[in-house]
Amino acid sequence: MTEVAPGYREHYQAIGQMIVAFQGLEATLKAELTLLMNNELGTVAGQLVYAMVAEASFGTAVRIASAIPGIFTPARIGVTKEESVIRLSQCLLETSEQLKKGLKVATEVEERRNQLVHSHWFESAGYVAPDGVMSRMKTKTRKGGVSIAFEHESIEAIAAVTAQARSAQELVGAALRDYKQIVAYEW
């Protein structure tokens, strides 16, 4: 195993914490989608839903979740009384806004996580970065050439991604649980 260069241990801890926070976001998204689609995991249908969602990529799970506001309508839920439709519509609007906000943050977190995870890191202070900052290199090969970009990453910048992942996890998880409760409620 390669030894961590002196002075970069906190960077690696920050990257590890970010990865764990992203995995928590992904697990919450997939678990809540599974429970929203079928809460009977011991049944054949429940196991199929569980397997299907488990195999979905993070991006696919986000796209499925983003379709929910268009699917959950008073008419599809079976609510017809005017006063109930008004109350339900307000609940659906608030839940939809929360879900959209959470999914937007989740998408930003995934993009940033991919940047951090799929980069080549340099630990040599002063080589391509100032002291206390790690540099990452991203190389892209395209028709006609290669592009190489260096970006400096501070512990604080990585920790900000971790905080965003936790925020998205809370927003998305709460919104998906709310959709489940909205369907179960006697309107």
Side-chain angles (χ1 to χ4, degrees), residues 10-15 17-18 112 116 131-134 152-164:
E10 290 178 350
H11 276 84
Y12 285 112
Q13 288 173 340
I15 292 168
Q17 290 169 347
M18 182 271 307
R112 193 72 172 98
L116 295 172
D131 287 337
V133 176
M134 279 185 75
H152 306 309
E153 298 289 347
S154 68
I155 294 167
E156 295 78 20
I158 298 166
V161 179
T162 302
Q164 279 186 300

Side-chain angles (χ1 to χ4, degrees), residues 30-99:
K30 289 182 175 186
E32 296 298 337
L33 279 175
T34 300
L35 293 174
L36 184 61
M37 287 189 249
N38 186 322
N39 200 22
E40 299 174 7
L41 296 180
T43 67
V44 171
Q47 290 294 298
L48 286 172
V49 169
Y50 183 80
M52 200 168 58
V53 173
E55 287 299 313
S57 68
F58 183 79
T60 298
V62 166
R63 286 188 297 281
I64 291 168
S66 69
I68 291 171
I71 295 169
F72 281 70
T73 63
R76 287 190 175 135
I77 294 172
V79 175
T80 56
K81 292 181 185 175
E82 187 176 340
E83 63 187 47
S84 295
V85 168
I86 292 169
R87 285 185 304 126
L88 173 56
S89 295
Q90 184 59 39
C91 283
L92 289 171
L93 177 63
E94 291 168 6
T95 303
S96 170
E97 288 173 358
Q98 180 177 2
L99 180 62

Side-chain angles (χ1 to χ4, degrees), residues 96-137:
S96 170
E97 288 173 358
Q98 180 177 2
L99 180 62
K100 287 177 185 176
K101 180 180 177 183
L103 292 175
K104 181 180 185 295
V105 174
T107 301
E108 292 168 2
V109 167
E110 180 197 26
E111 182 179 318
R112 193 72 172 98
R113 174 214 162 262
N114 288 343
Q115 289 174 346
L116 295 172
V117 169
H118 298 290
S119 291
H120 177 80
W121 290 88
F122 291 93
E123 296 177 325
S124 303
Y127 178 63
V128 291
D131 287 337
V133 176
M134 279 185 75
S135 289
R136 60 183 183 85
M137 180 177 75

